[in-house]
Amino acid sequence: MEDTEFLPQLQEAITQKTEWFNTDALEKLLLQYRLIHSCVRHLYDMLIKRSLIESDPYRLDKHITDITLPDTSPFPESEIFSKIGKRFSEYETMLDYICTYVRFSVDSLPIPTVKKLLDFAKVFDWEDVIISSSDSNAHGLAVTLNNARNGAAPVVQSMINDSINKCAQASAEIKKILNELGIFDREIYKYEIRRDIMGSPRFDASVITSAENEFNEIKKQFPKVFPKRPFYADLVNEIVAEDIGENKQKNQAATLARLEIKTGTNQTKKKVTGPNPKDLLMATVLAIGALAPTVDQLLIKLTANFDVFYEKKKNFLSVFFAALKKALHIAEKERVIMLPIKDAKTGGEKTQKLNVKEFLNDLTRKDRIYSVIASTGPEYQKIESSGEEAILTFVNKQISEAQSAFTIINALDAFFKNATDVLQKPKIKGMQIELSALRNTIISINKKRGDFIALKEEIEQMQKLGMKNNEA
């Protein structure tokens, strides 16, 4: 294979596979992370409620800016309660960070980040969560979950087993995609050296006659072009082998083979027929599932903040009468607040009567819907089997409700800060980070819905002109 053929083919293969990762594989990767996070969140809450692990009182106050790994070092059997509690809490928090803040695109997941994610996948090896496991975290979690099964209702035991199975399947898929992305990142690294170093006028092309000279010339130019990137000698040696190695053509063919998209027939079909409107619509539904982790955190903080807000009104008599009413089965007075809400369009302010219990119950209901979507369980399959019009109606309703919830929670964040006593203010948990994540997710959902609507309008226009969707 001549270089004049190899380089254009290399560029085309890189372009096509980048598009495939960004529009297909990495969306599936994010979906698997959301599924694990949903399962882990339910397991964590269950273990805390049953006092089988020690909760981390500072978990909600931690400011995370990068992917970090929970401890995986061995620990004595007597420390399972505290060690697994801390590590499982850190694991869940990091999953939330990955699902909420990591951008799932080829540009945002270079080699070092992929390595971190692969290492993170080993923190709790879900395919080895058994008591006989030699891995400390997997063994400790298995012992803890086994204790949770003892005496638990069948529905709880089923939830534990189902969560482990789902996490094991999702974890295997995550490792598969990450390993393929890692291979692709290596090829991108090599391609960018060819494009930005070897394609530069400063590069002495006459050195491409000696393996040693070519390697040294690339190494000399590398820090000037990529000052903050690591220099991987093994990948540069692959470039040299592709250029002037004894098996030059075989090496070039192997590189192009690594860049092949393994779903050949599907890709060909996709190119011929164009985007499928329902696929875009279901991608919008999946994006709704991304709301679950953020709403989980908001529910925790809202509940805590309401408790702090109403705690200021407690005294001996109120506590006594509350206990007496409970004993006599007299219903507690409903918690209602008059909430000032700013109109985003006019800037004016209106007051809304908010029933705290109803609002939290409604938000919990929404969270269940988002979690079901994220897990792609039977309910998700039911949505997928519906017609486009019914699915779009569902999507519109979820977007409207999510926007309404955002407005109320944003107002509550300001309300708690302004209406709480000075002594209680330090106990109030800020929600701006979660609100920002919620807003960004809603924007993403809206964009996907817009893409679907635009495609439908385009298809309808083409049909009016007597053209089919796959005609150029």
Side-chain angles (χ1 to χ4, degrees):
M1 185 184 299
E2 295 295 329
D3 288 349
T4 53
E5 295 178 10
F6 174 62
L7 294 179
Q9 287 179 9
L10 178 65
Q11 182 177 5
E12 177 65 15
I14 290 281
T15 301
Q16 287 188 6
K17 193 145 189 177
T18 299
E19 182 182 356
W20 175 74
F21 267 110
N22 287 339
T23 60
D24 190 329
L26 293 182
E27 285 194 5
K28 289 178 182 175
L29 180 63
L30 176 56
L31 179 61
Q32 299 308 315
Y33 276 115
R34 287 172 182 162
L35 175 56
I36 288 187
H37 184 230
S38 179
C39 293
V40 167
R41 181 73 208 161
H42 291 140
L43 288 174
Y44 180 81
D45 288 343
M46 180 272 298
L47 293 173
I48 290 293
K49 287 175 184 175
R50 293 172 68 88
S51 301
L52 289 169
I53 58 174
E54 189 176 31
S55 64
D56 179 2
Y58 305 107
R59 68 191 301 267
L60 297 177
D61 300 323
K62 292 176 180 175
H63 184 58
I64 302 171
T65 58
D66 195 10
I67 299 167
T68 55
L69 305 182
D71 194 358
T72 57
S73 61
F75 55 83
E77 198 83 8
S78 59
E79 295 181 12
I80 284 180
F81 174 74
S82 61
K83 294 291 187 184
I84 290 299
K86 185 173 187 298
R87 295 180 185 187
F88 206 46
S89 171
E90 291 174 352
Y91 181 73
E92 188 277 329
T93 302
M94 189 50 58
L95 279 169
D96 180 47
Y97 173 80
I98 290 169
C99 292
T100 308
Y101 297 105
V102 172
R103 285 188 62 226
F104 282 76
S105 68
V106 171
D107 288 344
S108 301
L109 297 172
I111 294 173
T113 305
V114 171
K115 186 179 184 306
K116 282 183 185 178
L117 288 171
L118 281 168
D119 289 340
F120 180 73
K122 300 172 189 173
V123 172
F124 282 96
D125 187 354
W126 290 99
E127 297 164 87
D128 193 36
V129 178
I130 52 176
I131 293 176
S132 60
S133 175
S134 59
D135 179 81
S136 296
N137 284 354
H139 165 74
L141 183 60
V143 170
T144 306
L145 293 175
N146 195 50
N147 290 336
R149 289 188 185 95
N150 293 333
V155 66
V156 175
Q157 295 189 34
S158 176
M159 184 275 286
I160 293 171
N161 296 334
D162 186 54
S163 294
I164 292 174
N165 289 333
K166 283 182 177 176
C167 286
Q169 291 170 9
S171 180
E173 187 65 20
I174 284 171
K175 290 172 187 174
K176 177 184 171 185
I177 295 173
L178 286 175
N179 280 320
E180 188 168 358
L181 179 59
I183 292 169
F184 182 55
D185 276 339
R186 290 165 64 91
E187 296 305 327
I188 288 179
Y189 180 92
K190 289 161 56 182
Y191 171 70
E192 289 178 346
I193 287 176
R194 288 187 179 280
R195 183 190 65 195
D196 299 334
I197 294 179
M198 300 175 71
S200 167
R202 291 179 300 181
F203 185 81
D204 183 3
S206 65
V207 300
I208 309 181
T209 53
S210 158
E212 183 179 357
N213 290 343
E214 182 176 357
F215 180 94
N216 289 336
E217 178 67 10
I218 292 172
K219 187 175 182 180
K220 182 177 79 173
Q221 299 291 341
F222 190 90
K224 300 174 186 175
V225 180
F226 303 119
K228 295 183 179 179
R229 294 178 70 175
F231 180 83
Y232 298 119
D234 58 328
L235 297 184
V236 174
N237 279 322
E238 286 186 18
I239 293 173
V240 174
E242 292 163 2
D243 288 345
I244 53 176
E246 290 182 8
N247 298 310
K248 169 182 171 178
Q249 292 187 359
K250 184 178 178 181
N251 293 331
Q252 290 180 2
T255 295
L256 294 175
R258 285 193 293 271
L259 292 169
E260 286 180 3
I261 298 168
K262 300 297 189 292
T263 52
T265 54
N266 291 336
Q267 289 297 312
T268 303
K269 184 179 179 183
K270 185 176 180 181
K271 283 185 180 181
V272 172
T273 62
N276 185 322
K278 191 165 184 179
D279 287 345
L280 283 180
L281 191 54
M282 289 311 298
T284 311
V285 174
L286 284 176
I288 291 170
L291 293 165
T294 305
V295 174
D296 273 345
Q297 294 300 311
L298 285 168
L299 272 168
I300 294 170
K301 289 191 173 184
L302 282 166
T303 303
N305 287 349
F306 277 122
D307 287 343
V308 171
F309 177 72
Y310 283 101
E311 187 180 45
K312 68 180 183 179
K313 300 179 181 179
K314 286 185 178 180
N315 54 41
F316 174 77
L317 285 176
S318 65
V319 172
F320 171 76
F321 282 121
L324 184 62
K325 286 179 180 178
K326 188 175 182 180
L328 296 174
H329 302 289
I330 300 173
E332 284 276 348
K333 184 180 179 181
E334 288 187 333
R335 293 178 170 183
V336 175
I337 61 173
M338 302 307 293
L339 183 65
I341 297 180
K342 284 187 177 180
D343 190 308
K345 293 181 179 178
T346 65
E349 191 175 275
K350 63 177 182 178
T351 301
Q352 178 175 329
K353 184 179 179 181
L354 186 75
N355 184 302
V356 174
K357 184 177 179 181
E358 288 180 2
F359 172 70
L360 291 177
N361 285 343
D362 185 56
L363 195 60
T364 301
R365 177 190 63 80
K366 289 185 177 72
D367 188 37
R368 287 198 201 100
I369 293 172
Y370 304 149
S371 297
V372 165
I373 291 171
S375 66
T376 62
E379 289 299 319
Y380 172 83
Q381 305 299 332
K382 186 177 177 182
I383 296 170
E384 191 173 29
S385 65
S386 302
E388 287 181 9
E389 189 175 336
I391 299 172
L392 182 59
T393 300
F394 171 80
V395 166
N396 289 338
K397 181 184 177 185
Q398 299 309 315
I399 292 175
S400 176
E401 289 186 355
Q403 289 171 331
S404 175
F406 172 84
T407 301
I408 293 172
I409 298 170
N410 195 40
L412 281 169
D413 187 51
F415 174 82
F416 288 130
K417 291 170 183 173
N418 295 329
T420 311
D421 290 343
V422 175
L423 293 176
Q424 269 134 323
K425 245 171 199 176
K427 298 180 184 178
I428 292 293
K429 298 183 182 298
M431 296 182 284
Q432 282 304 308
I433 292 176
E434 289 77 15
L435 283 166
S436 176
L438 186 63
R439 181 178 59 248
N440 290 339
T441 306
I442 293 171
I443 290 171
S444 175
I445 297 167
N446 262 319
K447 183 181 182 302
K448 290 180 183 294
R449 177 180 62 174
D451 291 342
F452 163 77
I453 292 171
L455 179 60
K456 287 292 288 184
E457 289 175 350
E458 181 185 339
I459 291 172
E460 288 173 7
Q461 187 64 29
M462 289 171 70
Q463 288 173 344
K464 287 178 182 177
L465 296 171
M467 298 170 63
K468 294 181 180 179
N469 188 32
N470 62 347
E471 290 179 352

